[in-house]
Amino acid sequence: MSNFNPLLDGGLIGCYLLATMVVGIMVRRYVGRVEHFLLAGREMNVYLGVASLAATEFGIVTCMYTAQNAYKYGFAGAIPGLTNVVAMFLVGYTGFGVKPLRDAGVMTIPELFERRYGQFVRWLAGVVIVLGGLLNMGVFLRVGGQFLVVCCGLNLEYLELTMTALLLAVAVYTVLGGMLSVLVTDFLQFVVMSVGLLAVTLLVLYRVGGGSFAGAWPNVVSAVSERHGAAGFDPFLGTETGVGFVLANLLTSTAAVLTWQPVIARVLAAKDTPTGRRIYTRTAFFFIARWMLPGVWALGAVAAAAAVTPAVLDGFARQFGERDGSLFAMPYYLSLVVPSGLMGILIAAMLAAEMSTDSSYMLTWGSVIYNDILAPFRRTWTERRGLIINRFIVACIGVFLLVWGLWYKLEGDLWAYLQTTGTIYLASMSILLIACCYWRGANNWGAIAAIVVGAALPVAALAVNKGLSVPVVDAAGLPLLDADGRPRTVGWVSHHIGDAWVNVGTYAAVAVAMVAGSLLKPRRAAHAAAEVRA
Amino acid sequence: MSAGLPTPPTGVESALRWFWGLLLLACLVWYATVTVYVAVRGVRDIRTMLSHLRASRAGGPPRR
């Protein structure tokens, strides 16, 4: 039973949502050109950039997958956060990849690729980016709705209506104000989100400590140690973590920092290159905080094992038609411990996080569609027409989110799903960017080969996993059962190769394809193409 | 919920427990500090951004 009070908590949430909508719509009058709509006129300075990046990259879905990782793997589950910090700081500090990208003055990454690899590669890159990005984003709305249902005790019947209303609110200010509205509302959402995050974390530590902060840490450590042993602290020891897990996350983090469009958009929207790099170095530490703080909430659930039982979690999984109940451990625990009043602030904070993420992502994928996929068609378009088309694209993405997100059923680990769908685009785009910036021998043959291999391998792995499965057994060789009492299964590729090694292998294969494809292109054709572009 | 001291860890595990504990503390302190600092400086950034955009709409050159 949740502590959500419709009057008190609902009132707090309503005030916050109203303020966000008003602010988001008011800045519409500053939008006069496509550059204002997509990049806020490149007027973003460091602190607004930090707030915006932090708010964009923290949604309800972030809370859910970071908490699920902590629940399943202990502190070792936060490794993706650590790799993200290292990657973002080093990239910002050195300017690797991002300096040439920002110096080029482009609006999207495929636009840079056209200058080196030609128009077809730009178009193909745009298609892969949008496909991977939309598949990735497709679960955001659903997972956000699941959080609200479990944490607030919301009736499942109202889930779709609630998420539709939320999406409409986000779509309105994103369509009208574009990146400008997104930046200003991100700032507001960052403040609300941060207050909520800190308040709930302190509450959870207080509760885990049995009514004191002094007892919190020993109890958390004890709970992790009992559930996971040494593997709860050392990622190299776990059966589901290990070397492959660490390596895959290092590659994913580096690629995301270089080419994940919602992240790199902050660099491209910065007023100049040094500002863009400073945004990265000064935001880097946030990326471990966003894994650790919700992770602590999940560890509170681990410590409260008497209340947060497998039977309860399996019940939630059945309710949503999914197999893995570990995703619901954190929101269920919060529903038990967060009192009214603070619950309203928490939900407002989570909605803030979700709205900032959804608005930024809708705009981001919309900008790639407009700027790159529609590039061959928009040469004669006026600014006014460009604005209208951009707004229409964002609205269509909203419709896609609604249709896909509310009805798609997740199978297994949320972070694994996001990592695999992300790899479809991240592997090839990061290799293309690095080659574009630092290898004179790179050409369009290598780029096309890299894009095809980068998309084909993860998709093939997903397809094989869907078609061929292996029963999961315990140490005694007895089959394990899922929430419905059916034998639990895992995909053939996941069992025999491992999702992490599929991701690592994809990056390696893409790099080989880039080099081999570029070297295979006849020199005469390569020189002719270079002369045409010069 | 279990209470009391955790079981004695090995040397590596002990070091890792310190690492995660200090990291959690750093996250809390950093987050609280940055929230206040970014909130104050961010307001100034928004004012500057909007004034430049106002000027740009009135006919000034766009920034690159």
mmCIF file of all heavy atoms in Angstrom, chain A residues 395-432:
data_model
loop_
_atom_site.group_PDB
_atom_site.id
_atom_site.type_symbol
_atom_site.label_atom_id
_atom_site.label_comp_id
_atom_site.label_asym_id
_atom_site.label_seq_id
_atom_site.Cartn_x
_atom_site.Cartn_y
_atom_site.Cartn_z
ATOM 1 N N ALA A 395 6.046 15.830 -33.262
ATOM 2 C CA ALA A 395 4.707 15.307 -32.940
ATOM 3 C C ALA A 395 4.577 13.840 -33.346
ATOM 4 O O ALA A 395 4.026 13.021 -32.606
ATOM 5 C CB ALA A 395 3.645 16.154 -33.627
ATOM 6 N N CYS A 396 5.115 13.490 -34.510
ATOM 7 C CA CYS A 396 5.051 12.088 -34.979
ATOM 8 C C CYS A 396 5.844 11.160 -34.058
ATOM 9 O O CYS A 396 5.423 10.035 -33.788
ATOM 10 C CB CYS A 396 5.590 11.980 -36.407
ATOM 11 S SG CYS A 396 4.495 12.691 -37.633
ATOM 12 N N ILE A 397 6.980 11.638 -33.595
ATOM 13 C CA ILE A 397 7.771 10.817 -32.658
ATOM 14 C C ILE A 397 6.965 10.575 -31.389
ATOM 15 O O ILE A 397 6.983 9.492 -30.808
ATOM 16 C CB ILE A 397 9.117 11.499 -32.341
ATOM 17 C CG1 ILE A 397 10.005 11.487 -33.576
ATOM 18 C CG2 ILE A 397 9.821 10.806 -31.181
ATOM 19 C CD1 ILE A 397 11.308 12.250 -33.413
ATOM 20 N N GLY A 398 6.242 11.602 -30.953
ATOM 21 C CA GLY A 398 5.388 11.437 -29.777
ATOM 22 C C GLY A 398 4.357 10.342 -29.984
ATOM 23 O O GLY A 398 4.117 9.525 -29.088
ATOM 24 N N VAL A 399 3.755 10.314 -31.160
ATOM 25 C CA VAL A 399 2.755 9.277 -31.467
ATOM 26 C C VAL A 399 3.424 7.897 -31.446
ATOM 27 O O VAL A 399 2.886 6.929 -30.890
ATOM 28 C CB VAL A 399 2.094 9.542 -32.832
ATOM 29 C CG1 VAL A 399 1.220 8.358 -33.244
ATOM 30 C CG2 VAL A 399 1.266 10.816 -32.783
ATOM 31 N N PHE A 400 4.609 7.797 -32.034
ATOM 32 C CA PHE A 400 5.337 6.512 -32.024
ATOM 33 C C PHE A 400 5.585 6.043 -30.591
ATOM 34 O O PHE A 400 5.390 4.878 -30.249
ATOM 35 C CB PHE A 400 6.677 6.650 -32.751
ATOM 36 C CG PHE A 400 7.634 5.524 -32.438
ATOM 37 C CD1 PHE A 400 7.493 4.283 -33.026
ATOM 38 C CD2 PHE A 400 8.654 5.704 -31.507
ATOM 39 C CE1 PHE A 400 8.351 3.234 -32.719
ATOM 40 C CE2 PHE A 400 9.516 4.666 -31.187
ATOM 41 C CZ PHE A 400 9.368 3.427 -31.795
ATOM 42 N N LEU A 401 6.033 6.969 -29.744
ATOM 43 C CA LEU A 401 6.318 6.616 -28.341
ATOM 44 C C LEU A 401 5.091 6.045 -27.664
ATOM 45 O O LEU A 401 5.175 5.083 -26.903
ATOM 46 C CB LEU A 401 6.739 7.862 -27.570
ATOM 47 C CG LEU A 401 8.143 8.348 -27.703
ATOM 48 C CD1 LEU A 401 8.360 9.505 -26.726
ATOM 49 C CD2 LEU A 401 9.146 7.245 -27.420
ATOM 50 N N LEU A 402 3.974 6.676 -27.947
ATOM 51 C CA LEU A 402 2.731 6.251 -27.329
ATOM 52 C C LEU A 402 2.370 4.832 -27.769
ATOM 53 O O LEU A 402 2.086 3.959 -26.952
ATOM 54 C CB LEU A 402 1.627 7.219 -27.756
ATOM 55 C CG LEU A 402 0.429 7.357 -26.845
ATOM 56 C CD1 LEU A 402 0.872 7.715 -25.443
ATOM 57 C CD2 LEU A 402 -0.483 8.453 -27.395
ATOM 58 N N VAL A 403 2.411 4.617 -29.070
ATOM 59 C CA VAL A 403 1.991 3.321 -29.616
ATOM 60 C C VAL A 403 2.972 2.217 -29.186
ATOM 61 O O VAL A 403 2.579 1.185 -28.653
ATOM 62 C CB VAL A 403 1.889 3.394 -31.150
ATOM 63 C CG1 VAL A 403 1.636 2.010 -31.732
ATOM 64 C CG2 VAL A 403 0.776 4.345 -31.561
ATOM 65 N N TRP A 404 4.271 2.450 -29.413
ATOM 66 C CA TRP A 404 5.274 1.422 -29.090
ATOM 67 C C TRP A 404 5.452 1.263 -27.592
ATOM 68 O O TRP A 404 5.468 0.161 -27.051
ATOM 69 C CB TRP A 404 6.617 1.816 -29.729
ATOM 70 C CG TRP A 404 7.749 0.915 -29.375
ATOM 71 C CD1 TRP A 404 8.566 0.989 -28.284
ATOM 72 C CD2 TRP A 404 8.214 -0.219 -30.117
ATOM 73 N NE1 TRP A 404 9.498 -0.014 -28.294
ATOM 74 C CE2 TRP A 404 9.314 -0.768 -29.406
ATOM 75 C CE3 TRP A 404 7.807 -0.819 -31.306
ATOM 76 C CZ2 TRP A 404 10.002 -1.884 -29.857
ATOM 77 C CZ3 TRP A 404 8.504 -1.931 -31.743
ATOM 78 C CH2 TRP A 404 9.577 -2.452 -31.029
ATOM 79 N N GLY A 405 5.573 2.405 -26.916
ATOM 80 C CA GLY A 405 5.957 2.357 -25.515
ATOM 81 C C GLY A 405 4.916 1.760 -24.591
ATOM 82 O O GLY A 405 5.261 1.054 -23.649
ATOM 83 N N LEU A 406 3.668 2.032 -24.822
ATOM 84 C CA LEU A 406 2.666 1.536 -23.892
ATOM 85 C C LEU A 406 2.344 0.066 -24.109
ATOM 86 O O LEU A 406 1.841 -0.588 -23.194
ATOM 87 C CB LEU A 406 1.383 2.378 -23.995
ATOM 88 C CG LEU A 406 1.493 3.801 -23.408
ATOM 89 C CD1 LEU A 406 0.186 4.546 -23.572
ATOM 90 C CD2 LEU A 406 1.891 3.759 -21.943
ATOM 91 N N TRP A 407 2.668 -0.458 -25.286
ATOM 92 C CA TRP A 407 2.276 -1.841 -25.541
ATOM 93 C C TRP A 407 3.448 -2.818 -25.669
ATOM 94 O O TRP A 407 3.236 -4.024 -25.667
ATOM 95 C CB TRP A 407 1.403 -1.914 -26.801
ATOM 96 C CG TRP A 407 -0.009 -1.530 -26.457
ATOM 97 C CD1 TRP A 407 -0.976 -2.333 -25.944
ATOM 98 C CD2 TRP A 407 -0.562 -0.225 -26.545
ATOM 99 N NE1 TRP A 407 -2.112 -1.607 -25.730
ATOM 100 C CE2 TRP A 407 -1.907 -0.315 -26.083
ATOM 101 C CE3 TRP A 407 -0.095 1.012 -26.972
ATOM 102 C CZ2 TRP A 407 -2.751 0.769 -26.048
ATOM 103 C CZ3 TRP A 407 -0.935 2.099 -26.924
ATOM 104 C CH2 TRP A 407 -2.254 1.963 -26.466
ATOM 105 N N TYR A 408 4.689 -2.334 -25.738
ATOM 106 C CA TYR A 408 5.821 -3.250 -25.872
ATOM 107 C C TYR A 408 6.159 -3.850 -24.514
ATOM 108 O O TYR A 408 6.229 -3.146 -23.511
ATOM 109 C CB TYR A 408 7.046 -2.506 -26.413
ATOM 110 C CG TYR A 408 8.291 -3.363 -26.431
ATOM 111 C CD1 TYR A 408 8.490 -4.283 -27.454
ATOM 112 C CD2 TYR A 408 9.247 -3.268 -25.428
ATOM 113 C CE1 TYR A 408 9.622 -5.080 -27.462
ATOM 114 C CE2 TYR A 408 10.378 -4.057 -25.437
ATOM 115 C CZ TYR A 408 10.558 -4.968 -26.460
ATOM 116 O OH TYR A 408 11.669 -5.760 -26.470
ATOM 117 N N LYS A 409 6.394 -5.164 -24.456
ATOM 118 C CA LYS A 409 6.700 -5.830 -23.196
ATOM 119 C C LYS A 409 8.180 -6.184 -23.127
ATOM 120 O O LYS A 409 8.694 -6.916 -23.955
ATOM 121 C CB LYS A 409 5.841 -7.081 -23.022
ATOM 122 C CG LYS A 409 4.374 -6.743 -22.775
ATOM 123 C CD LYS A 409 3.511 -7.971 -22.656
ATOM 124 C CE LYS A 409 2.066 -7.624 -22.314
ATOM 125 N NZ LYS A 409 1.479 -6.563 -23.101
ATOM 126 N N LEU A 410 8.821 -5.679 -22.082
ATOM 127 C CA LEU A 410 10.255 -5.898 -21.913
ATOM 128 C C LEU A 410 10.532 -7.333 -21.499
ATOM 129 O O LEU A 410 9.791 -7.919 -20.722
ATOM 130 C CB LEU A 410 10.760 -4.959 -20.817
ATOM 131 C CG LEU A 410 12.257 -4.802 -20.632
ATOM 132 C CD1 LEU A 410 12.855 -4.070 -21.825
ATOM 133 C CD2 LEU A 410 12.531 -4.021 -19.367
ATOM 134 N N GLU A 411 11.636 -7.911 -22.028
ATOM 135 C CA GLU A 411 12.047 -9.243 -21.582
ATOM 136 C C GLU A 411 13.423 -9.130 -20.944
ATOM 137 O O GLU A 411 14.402 -8.846 -21.606
ATOM 138 C CB GLU A 411 12.094 -10.205 -22.779
ATOM 139 C CG GLU A 411 10.704 -10.469 -23.352
ATOM 140 C CD GLU A 411 10.670 -11.626 -24.340
ATOM 141 O OE1 GLU A 411 11.613 -12.438 -24.352
ATOM 142 O OE2 GLU A 411 9.701 -11.704 -25.107
ATOM 143 N N GLY A 412 13.493 -9.351 -19.646
ATOM 144 C CA GLY A 412 14.795 -9.371 -18.976
ATOM 145 C C GLY A 412 15.269 -8.009 -18.522
ATOM 146 O O GLY A 412 14.504 -7.110 -18.239
ATOM 147 N N ASP A 413 16.590 -7.888 -18.483
ATOM 148 C CA ASP A 413 17.297 -6.741 -17.964
ATOM 149 C C ASP A 413 17.046 -5.481 -18.797
ATOM 150 O O ASP A 413 17.292 -5.463 -20.010
ATOM 151 C CB ASP A 413 18.802 -7.082 -18.037
ATOM 152 C CG ASP A 413 19.544 -6.592 -16.850
ATOM 153 O OD1 ASP A 413 19.400 -5.390 -16.570
ATOM 154 O OD2 ASP A 413 20.274 -7.396 -16.243
ATOM 155 N N LEU A 414 16.607 -4.398 -18.144
ATOM 156 C CA LEU A 414 16.347 -3.160 -18.875
ATOM 157 C C LEU A 414 17.646 -2.565 -19.428
ATOM 158 O O LEU A 414 17.694 -2.115 -20.576
ATOM 159 C CB LEU A 414 15.649 -2.158 -17.946
ATOM 160 C CG LEU A 414 15.363 -0.763 -18.490
ATOM 161 C CD1 LEU A 414 14.561 -0.811 -19.776
ATOM 162 C CD2 LEU A 414 14.634 0.068 -17.433
ATOM 163 N N TRP A 415 18.718 -2.538 -18.620
ATOM 164 C CA TRP A 415 19.989 -1.967 -19.074
ATOM 165 C C TRP A 415 20.545 -2.772 -20.250
ATOM 166 O O TRP A 415 21.078 -2.203 -21.193
ATOM 167 C CB TRP A 415 20.999 -1.909 -17.929
ATOM 168 C CG TRP A 415 22.366 -1.447 -18.349
ATOM 169 C CD1 TRP A 415 23.533 -2.141 -18.305
ATOM 170 C CD2 TRP A 415 22.700 -0.167 -18.922
ATOM 171 N NE1 TRP A 415 24.571 -1.392 -18.805
ATOM 172 C CE2 TRP A 415 24.098 -0.172 -19.193
ATOM 173 C CE3 TRP A 415 21.971 0.981 -19.237
ATOM 174 C CZ2 TRP A 415 24.766 0.918 -19.742
ATOM 175 C CZ3 TRP A 415 22.636 2.076 -19.786
ATOM 176 C CH2 TRP A 415 24.012 2.027 -20.029
ATOM 177 N N ALA A 416 20.388 -4.089 -20.220
ATOM 178 C CA ALA A 416 20.864 -4.926 -21.330
ATOM 179 C C ALA A 416 20.107 -4.578 -22.614
ATOM 180 O O ALA A 416 20.699 -4.502 -23.690
ATOM 181 C CB ALA A 416 20.703 -6.406 -20.993
ATOM 182 N N TYR A 417 18.797 -4.365 -22.521
ATOM 183 C CA TYR A 417 17.997 -3.966 -23.696
ATOM 184 C C TYR A 417 18.493 -2.630 -24.247
ATOM 185 O O TYR A 417 18.709 -2.470 -25.450
ATOM 186 C CB TYR A 417 16.520 -3.850 -23.317
ATOM 187 C CG TYR A 417 15.668 -3.202 -24.395
ATOM 188 C CD1 TYR A 417 15.124 -3.943 -25.447
ATOM 189 C CD2 TYR A 417 15.406 -1.834 -24.363
ATOM 190 C CE1 TYR A 417 14.370 -3.337 -26.437
ATOM 191 C CE2 TYR A 417 14.660 -1.215 -25.357
ATOM 192 C CZ TYR A 417 14.134 -1.973 -26.388
ATOM 193 O OH TYR A 417 13.390 -1.367 -27.371
ATOM 194 N N LEU A 418 18.690 -1.650 -23.343
ATOM 195 C CA LEU A 418 19.120 -0.324 -23.779
ATOM 196 C C LEU A 418 20.524 -0.372 -24.382
ATOM 197 O O LEU A 418 20.808 0.300 -25.374
ATOM 198 C CB LEU A 418 19.095 0.650 -22.591
ATOM 199 C CG LEU A 418 17.711 0.945 -21.996
ATOM 200 C CD1 LEU A 418 17.839 1.810 -20.751
ATOM 201 C CD2 LEU A 418 16.815 1.624 -23.014
ATOM 202 N N GLN A 419 21.375 -1.200 -23.785
ATOM 203 C CA GLN A 419 22.745 -1.292 -24.282
ATOM 204 C C GLN A 419 22.772 -1.931 -25.674
ATOM 205 O O GLN A 419 23.494 -1.473 -26.567
ATOM 206 C CB GLN A 419 23.598 -2.113 -23.299
ATOM 207 C CG GLN A 419 25.066 -1.817 -23.362
ATOM 208 C CD GLN A 419 25.833 -2.519 -22.254
ATOM 209 O OE1 GLN A 419 25.329 -3.384 -21.566
ATOM 210 N NE2 GLN A 419 27.084 -2.146 -22.095
ATOM 211 N N THR A 420 21.968 -2.977 -25.872
ATOM 212 C CA THR A 420 21.967 -3.664 -27.160
ATOM 213 C C THR A 420 21.353 -2.785 -28.257
ATOM 214 O O THR A 420 21.913 -2.677 -29.346
ATOM 215 C CB THR A 420 21.202 -4.986 -27.059
ATOM 216 O OG1 THR A 420 21.843 -5.807 -26.081
ATOM 217 C CG2 THR A 420 21.178 -5.724 -28.388
ATOM 218 N N THR A 421 20.204 -2.158 -27.976
ATOM 219 C CA THR A 421 19.608 -1.282 -28.992
ATOM 220 C C THR A 421 20.515 -0.080 -29.249
ATOM 221 O O THR A 421 20.613 0.395 -30.369
ATOM 222 C CB THR A 421 18.205 -0.784 -28.574
ATOM 223 O OG1 THR A 421 18.266 -0.254 -27.244
ATOM 224 C CG2 THR A 421 17.191 -1.927 -28.598
ATOM 225 N N GLY A 422 21.200 0.378 -28.225
ATOM 226 C CA GLY A 422 22.154 1.478 -28.404
ATOM 227 C C GLY A 422 23.336 1.059 -29.254
ATOM 228 O O GLY A 422 23.798 1.827 -30.096
ATOM 229 N N THR A 423 23.810 -0.163 -29.073
ATOM 230 C CA THR A 423 24.969 -0.654 -29.821
ATOM 231 C C THR A 423 24.690 -0.692 -31.320
ATOM 232 O O THR A 423 25.617 -0.520 -32.129
ATOM 233 C CB THR A 423 25.376 -2.051 -29.314
ATOM 234 O OG1 THR A 423 25.736 -1.938 -27.931
ATOM 235 C CG2 THR A 423 26.556 -2.622 -30.073
ATOM 236 N N ILE A 424 23.424 -0.908 -31.694
ATOM 237 C CA ILE A 424 23.061 -0.929 -33.112
ATOM 238 C C ILE A 424 23.594 0.333 -33.803
ATOM 239 O O ILE A 424 24.002 0.314 -34.958
ATOM 240 C CB ILE A 424 21.523 -1.024 -33.274
ATOM 241 C CG1 ILE A 424 21.051 -2.431 -32.860
ATOM 242 C CG2 ILE A 424 21.085 -0.733 -34.696
ATOM 243 C CD1 ILE A 424 19.543 -2.582 -32.779
ATOM 244 N N TYR A 425 23.582 1.438 -33.075
ATOM 245 C CA TYR A 425 24.049 2.687 -33.676
ATOM 246 C C TYR A 425 25.386 3.138 -33.110
ATOM 247 O O TYR A 425 26.245 3.621 -33.846
ATOM 248 C CB TYR A 425 22.917 3.704 -33.576
ATOM 249 C CG TYR A 425 23.109 5.040 -32.897
ATOM 250 C CD1 TYR A 425 24.276 5.786 -32.972
ATOM 251 C CD2 TYR A 425 22.044 5.614 -32.231
ATOM 252 C CE1 TYR A 425 24.385 7.041 -32.400
ATOM 253 C CE2 TYR A 425 22.140 6.872 -31.672
ATOM 254 C CZ TYR A 425 23.314 7.574 -31.760
ATOM 255 O OH TYR A 425 23.402 8.818 -31.196
ATOM 256 N N LEU A 426 25.629 2.934 -31.814
ATOM 257 C CA LEU A 426 26.836 3.479 -31.187
ATOM 258 C C LEU A 426 28.123 2.876 -31.754
ATOM 259 O O LEU A 426 29.114 3.592 -31.935
ATOM 260 C CB LEU A 426 26.795 3.239 -29.673
ATOM 261 C CG LEU A 426 25.814 4.088 -28.883
ATOM 262 C CD1 LEU A 426 25.786 3.632 -27.434
ATOM 263 C CD2 LEU A 426 26.171 5.560 -28.972
ATOM 264 N N ALA A 427 28.121 1.588 -31.999
ATOM 265 C CA ALA A 427 29.349 0.931 -32.455
ATOM 266 C C ALA A 427 29.834 1.562 -33.755
ATOM 267 O O ALA A 427 30.987 1.963 -33.894
ATOM 268 C CB ALA A 427 29.117 -0.563 -32.620
ATOM 269 N N SER A 428 28.946 1.659 -34.734
ATOM 270 C CA SER A 428 29.371 2.185 -36.035
ATOM 271 C C SER A 428 29.614 3.686 -35.992
ATOM 272 O O SER A 428 30.601 4.176 -36.554
ATOM 273 C CB SER A 428 28.346 1.845 -37.108
ATOM 274 O OG SER A 428 27.061 2.324 -36.751
ATOM 275 N N MET A 429 28.764 4.444 -35.324
ATOM 276 C CA MET A 429 28.913 5.901 -35.338
ATOM 277 C C MET A 429 30.199 6.350 -34.637
ATOM 278 O O MET A 429 30.856 7.292 -35.074
ATOM 279 C CB MET A 429 27.698 6.576 -34.677
ATOM 280 C CG MET A 429 26.409 6.415 -35.474
ATOM 281 S SD MET A 429 26.509 7.053 -37.154
ATOM 282 C CE MET A 429 26.449 5.534 -38.093
ATOM 283 N N SER A 430 30.560 5.675 -33.564
ATOM 284 C CA SER A 430 31.785 6.073 -32.857
ATOM 285 C C SER A 430 33.019 5.760 -33.705
ATOM 286 O O SER A 430 33.939 6.579 -33.799
ATOM 287 C CB SER A 430 31.868 5.387 -31.493
ATOM 288 O OG SER A 430 31.805 3.985 -31.633
ATOM 289 N N ILE A 431 33.034 4.601 -34.333
ATOM 290 C CA ILE A 431 34.165 4.245 -35.188
ATOM 291 C C ILE A 431 34.235 5.195 -36.380
ATOM 292 O O ILE A 431 35.313 5.658 -36.778
ATOM 293 C CB ILE A 431 34.047 2.780 -35.670
ATOM 294 C CG1 ILE A 431 34.076 1.812 -34.477
ATOM 295 C CG2 ILE A 431 35.148 2.445 -36.674
ATOM 296 C CD1 ILE A 431 35.384 1.780 -33.715
ATOM 297 N N LEU A 432 33.082 5.521 -36.971
ATOM 298 C CA LEU A 432 33.065 6.455 -38.101
ATOM 299 C C LEU A 432 33.592 7.825 -37.682
ATOM 300 O O LEU A 432 34.343 8.463 -38.418
ATOM 301 C CB LEU A 432 31.633 6.620 -38.642
ATOM 302 C CG LEU A 432 31.321 5.917 -39.956
ATOM 303 C CD1 LEU A 432 31.320 4.422 -39.783
ATOM 304 C CD2 LEU A 432 29.990 6.380 -40.518
#
